[in-house]
Amino acid sequence: MKNIVSAHKNQNNKLGIYSVCSAHPLVIEATLRYELKTGKPVLIEATSNQVNQFGGYTGMTPKDFVAYVKKIADQVGFPKDKLILGGDHLGPNCWQKEPAATAMKKSLDLIKAYVEAGFTKIHLDASMSCADDEVPLSSMTIAKRSAEMCKVAEDSAPEETKDKLTYVIGTEVPVPGGESCEIETVHVSKLDDIQNTIDTHITAFDVVGIKEALNKVVGIVVQPGVEFDHSKVIRFEKEKAAEIANYIESTPWVYEAHSTDYQTYEHLNDLVENHFAILKVGPALTFALREALFSLAEMESEIVPAEKASQFKKVVDDVLLAEPKYWASYYGDKYATIINNLHYSFSDRIRYYWSEPRIKTATEQLFANLESKQIPLSMLSQYMPKQYHKVSEGLIPPTPKALVLDKIQEVVEMYSNACE
C-alpha cells in the first residue's frame, strides 16, 4: 500500500488500487484470476460486521477469513506476496447499542484479532456514537478512540507484517449497506472537515504516544460525491471535488472513496486522477454475479426438464421472503416493489444470502444441470452476449462457472484499468 500511494503521489497520479469488499468465493476467484494475468497486487477487504472476533454475519473470524482467501489464492496460483488484506470500518460499528466502554473494549479486541491474523490495511473508524455517547461524537473523541485502536494495532502486529501495516483514517462515508431510499444529490466533503480530521488525529496519536504511526497513514476516507440507491447512480463530478483534490496534493496521503460501485470507467478514471486513489467496490461485483446466475437460470429453464431443474430463482425468492432481516428496512412494503428490488436493486441485498444452504444447494444443482447439457451458442447470445463472443472466439469455455467468472470480471476489468 505504501508503494502504491507513493507512486501515485510522486510518479503518476493515474496509478491507484481498487478494494474488493466481498467475501463471495467466486468474486474473489474472479479478481485473483484476472490480476494473475496483469501481475498487479490485489486488495481484498472485510468489514467489521462481516468478519469479527465473534464470527460476524459470514461466521468467520479474522483468522478464518485470511485462511479462506489464501486457500482461494492457492487454488488460482495467485502469489501471496501480492495479496493485501484490509479491515474496513474497524471500530464500534457492531456494538453501537452498548455503552462506550464496552463497545470500545470489543473494538480493541477486534483490531488485535485483525492485525494478528495478518491484515495489513486497517481503516480506523470510531465515528459511531455508542449507547451513552453524545450524538454526534466530537471530532476529538473520534480521533482519540481511533488512536487507541491504532496503538493496539502497533502493539499486536506480528514481526513479519509490522513494516507492511498501514492505516486509513476518516469517517465521512456513505451509509453502510447502501441507501434505504431514493437519493437526488450527494454532498462533497468540505475542506474544513478534512483538515479537522487530520489535525485531530495528529493530536490524538501524539497524546497516545504513537506519533510515529502517522507515517503509516496512507489515506483519508472522504465523500467525493458518489452514491447509488435502488435504481439510480450519482456520478462523480470532478469540478465539485476540485478544492479537496488540490488540497490533498500538499500532503503525503490520498483519499479513499467508498461506494464507487456502478460508476463508469471514465468516472473511475477521474476519481483516481483526482487523488481518490483507493476505490472501494463490493455490490457492483455481486450484482454482476447475480446477473450471471439469473441468466444461467433462464437458460436452464429452456433446456432442462422442469422436474430436474434447480428452480434457482424460486428458491432465492423463497429464502429472501422468509428471512427478511437483511432487506426489510430497505425495500418498502409493497410486494411488487419488494420483489423488484430483491431482484434488481443496485444495493444488491441478495449478497447477504448467497451462503444460505438452500441457495447454495440450488446454485450447485444449476451448475450441474448446465454442465450436463451444453448451452446452445444461440441461446448464450440471447442471455449473455459478451460471454457468447468470448466463447465463440475460444477465449473461455461455455461452462457455468467460466461464464459467471467472466461476467464478474467485466467489473474487475473496469476497475483494474482505471487504476493503471
Side-chain angles (χ1 to χ4, degrees), residues 384-402:
M384 303 183 79
K386 291 184 179 180
Q387 285 65 46
Y388 156 76
H389 285 295
K390 290 186 177 181
V391 170
S392 297
E393 294 168 15
L395 298 176
I396 60 173
T399 61
K401 183 176 179 180

Side-chain angles (χ1 to χ4, degrees), residues 285-302:
L285 293 162
T286 46
F287 187 88
L289 166 71
R290 194 273 312 155
E291 286 185 319
L293 292 174
F294 274 24
S295 293
L296 292 180
E298 292 296 332
M299 289 186 281
E300 182 200 31
S301 70
E302 300 269 10

Side-chain angles (χ1 to χ4, degrees), residues 315 319-320 323 352-363:
V315 172
V319 171
L320 268 63
E323 301 177 16
Y352 293 97
Y353 295 86
W354 291 129
S355 61
E356 199 278 338
R358 286 168 290 176
I359 293 179
K360 283 185 70 175
T361 298
T363 305

Side-chain angles (χ1 to χ4, degrees), residues 57 198 228 278 318:
Y57 71 75
I198 293 172
F228 56 90
I278 305 172
D318 288 348

Side-chain angles (χ1 to χ4, degrees), residues 165-185:
L165 202 58
T166 57
Y167 302 107
V168 172
I169 61 173
T171 59
E172 192 160 358
V173 298
V175 179
E179 294 287 344
S180 59
C181 58
E182 290 190 1
I183 53 173
E184 296 300 330
T185 59

Side-chain angles (χ1 to χ4, degrees), residues 357-418:
R358 286 168 290 176
I359 293 179
K360 283 185 70 175
T361 298
T363 305
E364 290 166 2
Q365 186 179 353
L366 172 67
F367 276 38
N369 284 344
L370 292 176
E371 284 166 358
S372 66
K373 291 182 175 288
Q374 187 168 347
I375 300 170
L377 273 177
S378 54
M379 188 180 294
L380 187 61
S381 177
Q382 170 70 35
Y383 291 103
M384 303 183 79
K386 291 184 179 180
Q387 285 65 46
Y388 156 76
H389 285 295
K390 290 186 177 181
V391 170
S392 297
E393 294 168 15
L395 298 176
I396 60 173
T399 61
K401 183 176 179 180
L403 295 171
V404 172
L405 291 176
D406 191 74
K407 181 67 177 177
I408 296 168
Q409 286 174 344
E410 291 177 8
V411 180
V412 173
E413 180 178 36
M414 188 168 60
Y415 274 87
S416 183
N417 290 342

